[in-house]
Amino acid sequence: MAEAHQAVAFQFTITAEGINLHLSYQALNQIYLSGLRSWKKRISRIRNRIIKGVYPASPSSLLFVVIAILATMYMQSDPSMGLIAKIQEHLPLSLSLSAQGQTMLSALVFSTLLWLSLILALKFCLKLLLSYHQWMFEKHGCISTKTKVWATLVRLLSSKKPLLYSYQTSLPHLPVPSIKDTLEKYLESVKPLQSVTDFQQMTRLAAEFEKSLGSHLQRYLRLKALWATNYVSDWWEEYVYLRGRSPIMVNSNYYGMDFLYVTPTTNQAARAGNTITALFLYRRKVNREELKPSRIPGTVVPLCAAQCERMFNTTRTPGEETDVLQHWQDSEFVAVYHRGRYFKLWVYRAGRLLSPREIQYQIQRILDDPLPPFPGEDKLGALTAGNRVPWARVRKQYFSSGVNKQSLDSIEKAAFFVTLDDEEEGMIGEETSMNLDRYAKSLLHGKCYDRWFDKSFSVMVYRNGKNGLNAEHSWADAPIVAHLWEVQAQVSESLAVAQALADDVDCHVFPFKEFGKGCIKKMKISPDSFVQLALQLAYYRDRGTFCLTYEASMTRLFCEGRTETVRSCSNESCAFVCALVAGEDREQCSKLFRKAAEKHQNLYRLAMTGSGIDRHLFCLYVVSKYLGTESPFLKEVLSEPWRLSTSQTPVQQMELFDLVNHPEFISPGGGFGPVADDGYGVSYIIMGEEIINFHVSSKHSCKETERHRSTSISNTRCSRTTIKTTTTNNCAPFLLSVGLHCYVLLNDDKL
């Protein structure tokens, strides 16, 4: 690994006349400035702790309370109702202060206690207000008086400019749903997917579970909910992510793409310099808590910001039984990979963040460096792409001391990882669709050894200036080395596992331009519900059956909330699909479509407000394992495959660009691999008013999802509408015709 040179602050020699000390004032000045930066950060953290600790009040309000108390005492009134006198009697310094001094000190103590009590009361009121979620279930344009009053009170208590984490102590805790409600919702969700016999069997298992083991497990969950901030998040992180022993590449990591139509510069070093600088400036805002807290769009409701804490300086360290997330408070360098070599690139000098041009100069030196990699260095990243247990054993055996450990630390403690790729990616050339597919696969897995998949996120900068990122799903990451010939065998084995997985993944990225959110909202349909129903129709037309469908919903209305599952395949969606395929009249299909869309929207709202079922069932299963008890019902529930895994990518949580006036700055979003070997992974992002970008993934090894097989779709008739589609690319472009069909079905002639 290439290392930066080190400066010497002072030198000394011993002579007959004594010690001759030679100070390097420039180097000492650099040390002084670096230390000054560290102290500024410490002071900033203390200041922020005080500000967010008293929110929704402000530190200056203490002065107002003190002045108000002293003013009322000056007017010969006792606002404390005798408490100031009581405090004065118990002052330990009463013998050394005058009577007036004792009174002033007692008034100051009382004012501080009163101020703290008012702060606690305000926090409690804000938490109560943020626990109200009925507003989400009200129809647009039909807001109740209760909700209007609630919104006004939230605005009043949130009038002070909040820091990034100001709302964390005021967010409500995730509630534990009742066993009865969860089981009823679960049975409703699987009814359209099971035969009559299977559903009766599942109903019997659910009833037995509710009467026997369920209530026992529920008591443990309620106890945890009283003690922990969030009864789901720590178990979800550990058992779903960190304990997984299969490769995290493709199976867990996800990717994000650059701008679709714009490349700020085609100079690779310049783009890398600008990207690295921008990310460090963003990290500075996160550390200083200068970012505005995220809110639900169009509302005053804040979202949990806990996940921002481990965005940078974070690594997932492999273990034989479970991985561990490591996070460092600060890091002044990034790890860079180029042509099989790893570089440690410092981006701070004497406490100052280097400019984009200065970083560009360093990147260009890396690009121009002709030295070959050390033996075993070039494909070392494959260890992070393969199975976790071999990587854990190799790390323990070969990376525990010496130069290997130092090199590994340079990766683990880096702010993030950067790959300088020799390929050109993006929407280039004539076959733009195929190039986008290749771009997606490059970001998802690359060459399996030129990414560091354990890092919280890695940035890829391509030769033509395009970039993108690959993120580790649990926010954690890992390492690298020099002189690594000892581990060559395991590197080759991990690379073989990762390469087979990468070769099996098929990705297709395409923009849907026929219409977008604007037309859908004119029909008074939720755009997300619209897309989800189009996916249900597409899957049924493609496979001739329905499947358990996973849609990710956030639970960040609650403290430390992460995600919940929306089971998009419902009785209502199945009824709509069957009616459309059977050729029923347009009015009936339209009625069923709207009913299915309303059902989906309600399921999404329930998931967001803590009334989902899958995280509850998951935690019940974890408790049963801790108690050493077996539940046939829970075993059956958690073994069901998600053959259609979907997620909507949020648009512009930070309003960086005006997409209405500058539509060229849209991004295709990002995607992920399929959850089931015989299923699809579908990510979509609703951009602006006229475009929806899709990322569809599947596996070549499954003949039912392999997109190059020929699929012929017969005529679909519905009253005046007849659409015929034939495709050779399976589910991906087929979504275009399905979405168009749904639009024609519901579209008013005036639109």
Side-chain angles (χ1 to χ4, degrees), residues 688-707:
E689 300 294 309
E690 299 178 351
I691 188 170
I692 304 174
N693 284 314
F694 285 92
H695 298 247
V696 182
S697 64
S698 59
K699 291 195 174 181
H700 292 293
S701 56
C702 178
K703 298 304 179 183
E704 294 180 335
T705 62
E706 204 276 323
R707 74 180 180 94

Side-chain angles (χ1 to χ4, degrees), residues 450-726:
D450 57 348
R451 314 281 188 258
W452 202 263
F453 295 101
D454 285 347
K455 213 61 185 144
S456 53
F457 69 92
S458 300
V459 176
M460 281 66 73
V461 183
Y462 296 96
R463 190 173 63 181
N464 60 341
K466 280 292 182 184
N467 67 16
L469 65 85
N470 181 287
E472 199 282 311
H473 219 312
S474 63
W475 283 115
D477 195 332
I480 194 10
V481 157
H483 308 300
L484 298 173
W485 59 269
E486 305 100 329
V487 298
Q488 287 270 23
Q490 186 54 59
V491 169
S492 300
E493 183 179 331
S494 296
L495 179 58
V497 172
Q499 194 64 59
L501 179 60
D503 292 342
D504 194 25
V505 175
D506 188 22
C507 295
H508 187 56
V509 182
F510 62 94
F512 178 75
K513 301 179 180 179
E514 301 294 329
F515 60 88
K517 179 176 66 176
C519 289
I520 298 173
K521 293 184 75 172
K522 285 181 180 179
M523 297 182 289
K524 298 183 179 179
I525 296 288
S526 161
D528 183 62
S529 297
F530 185 97
V531 173
Q532 285 293 326
L533 289 173
L535 290 172
Q536 290 298 316
L537 177 58
Y539 188 90
Y540 185 84
R541 295 281 302 279
D542 181 56
R543 303 287 289 272
T545 185
F546 298 106
C547 72
L548 195 61
T549 305
Y550 182 107
E551 181 187 6
S553 165
M554 67 173 182
T555 54
R556 290 173 60 200
L557 289 171
F558 304 96
C559 191
E560 296 184 9
R562 293 194 62 161
T563 61
E564 177 57 277
T565 303
V566 179
R567 296 184 168 225
S568 300
C569 183
S570 63
N571 290 309
E572 289 77 5
S573 67
C574 292
F576 157 69
V577 171
C578 290
L580 188 65
V581 172
E584 295 191 19
D585 63 85
R586 176 173 176 167
E587 183 178 353
Q588 176 66 8
C589 290
S590 178
K591 180 180 178 181
L592 291 173
F593 185 92
R594 292 187 180 277
K595 186 177 180 181
E598 290 174 4
K599 176 66 175 181
H600 173 267
Q601 204 165 7
N602 188 59
L603 289 173
Y604 201 97
R605 290 164 176 164
L606 288 171
M608 285 185 64
T609 54
S611 296
I613 64 173
D614 284 278
R615 300 301 178 267
H616 185 204
L617 291 170
F618 162 77
C619 288
L620 290 170
Y621 180 77
V622 173
V623 174
S624 72
K625 287 299 180 182
Y626 277 126
L627 297 178
T629 58
E630 289 292 333
S631 168
F633 170 73
L634 291 176
K635 185 177 181 180
E636 182 69 24
V637 169
L638 272 73
S639 65
E640 296 169 337
W642 301 97
R643 290 192 172 89
L644 185 55
S645 181
T646 71
S647 178
Q648 180 186 173
T649 304
V651 181
Q652 279 198 302
Q653 291 186 343
M654 295 172 57
E655 297 177 358
L656 299 176
F657 299 101
D658 180 2
L659 293 181
V660 176
N661 296 319
H662 301 282
E664 67 275 13
F665 283 100
I666 65 171
S667 165
F672 50 87
V675 174
D677 290 339
D678 60 345
Y680 294 104
V682 182
S683 175
Y684 53 95
I685 180 170
I686 302 173
M687 300 295 301
E689 300 294 309
E690 299 178 351
I691 188 170
I692 304 174
N693 284 314
F694 285 92
H695 298 247
V696 182
S697 64
S698 59
K699 291 195 174 181
H700 292 293
S701 56
C702 178
K703 298 304 179 183
E704 294 180 335
T705 62
E706 204 276 323
R707 74 180 180 94
H708 294 289
R709 66 184 175 85
S710 177
T711 303
S712 179
I713 309 300
S714 60
N715 287 358
T716 297
R717 301 179 182 277
C718 189
S719 186
R720 295 177 292 149
T721 307
T722 301
I723 297 179
K724 182 175 181 178
T725 59
T726 302

Side-chain angles (χ1 to χ4, degrees), residues 48-91:
N48 288 342
R49 286 194 189 104
I50 295 173
I51 293 175
K52 66 188 179 186
V54 303
Y55 192 85
S58 64
S60 60
S61 60
L62 173 60
L63 181 62
F64 174 80
V65 174
V66 171
I67 293 174
I69 295 297
L70 292 177
T72 54
M73 291 178 65
Y74 180 78
M75 298 173 63
Q76 305 299 318
S77 177
D78 184 8
S80 69
M81 301 177 66
L83 289 177
I84 293 179
K86 289 287 186 182
I87 294 172
Q88 187 172 346
E89 292 175 4
H90 295 84
L91 283 178

Side-chain angles (χ1 to χ4, degrees), residues 108-145:
L108 182 61
V109 172
F110 172 76
S111 300
T112 303
L113 293 175
L114 177 61
W115 179 66
L116 292 174
S117 300
L118 291 173
I119 288 173
L120 291 175
L122 288 174
K123 282 182 174 291
F124 180 73
C125 291
L126 184 57
K127 179 172 282 192
L128 284 180
L129 290 170
L130 296 179
S131 300
Y132 174 76
H133 299 136
Q134 192 57 41
W135 61 271
M136 197 177 295
F137 296 88
E138 295 179 353
K139 293 183 178 180
H140 292 289
C142 301
I143 303 175
S144 65
T145 303

Side-chain angles (χ1 to χ4, degrees), residues 197-216:
T197 304
D198 290 340
F199 183 72
Q200 289 176 347
Q201 172 69 4
M202 185 57 72
T203 303
R204 182 183 63 80
L205 291 175
E208 292 176 357
F209 176 76
E210 182 180 5
K211 292 177 181 178
S212 55
L213 185 59
S215 58
H216 181 57

